[in-house]
């Protein structure tokens, strides 16, 4: 499983980070680093929940993080 964390700045100045492969995994932050950290934590929680509830089988994962903006 390859997951990509994407980050962009909104018009209002906030940063939005998301993992598009995991529906609902997105987070806002005052900085790119804050938004990316929040989204990464949420992605890991979603994956853990899926494993705990038998919704997915354990797989090798590779998480790609962009360079800090």
């Amino acid at each position: 499983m390859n997951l990509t964390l994407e980050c962009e700045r909104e018009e209002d100045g906030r940063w939005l980070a998301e993992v598009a492969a995991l529906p609902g995994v997105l987070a806002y932050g005052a900085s790119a680093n804050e938004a990316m950290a929040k989204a990464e934590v949420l992605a890991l929680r979603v994956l853990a929940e899926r494993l705990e509830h038998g919704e997915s089988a354990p797989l090798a994962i590779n998480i790609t993080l962009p360079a800090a903006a």
Side-chain angles (χ1 to χ4, degrees), residues 12-55:
D12 63 3
R14 295 181 300 168
W15 287 87
L16 173 65
E18 70 175 321
V19 177
L22 297 173
V25 176
L26 58 93
Y28 284 98
S31 68
N33 284 340
E34 180 183 348
M36 289 188 299
K38 288 180 178 181
E40 185 177 351
V41 167
L42 183 54
L44 293 171
R45 286 183 180 145
V46 167
L47 293 173
E49 287 287 323
R50 287 182 179 182
L51 288 169
E52 286 180 342
H53 296 286
E55 296 171 15

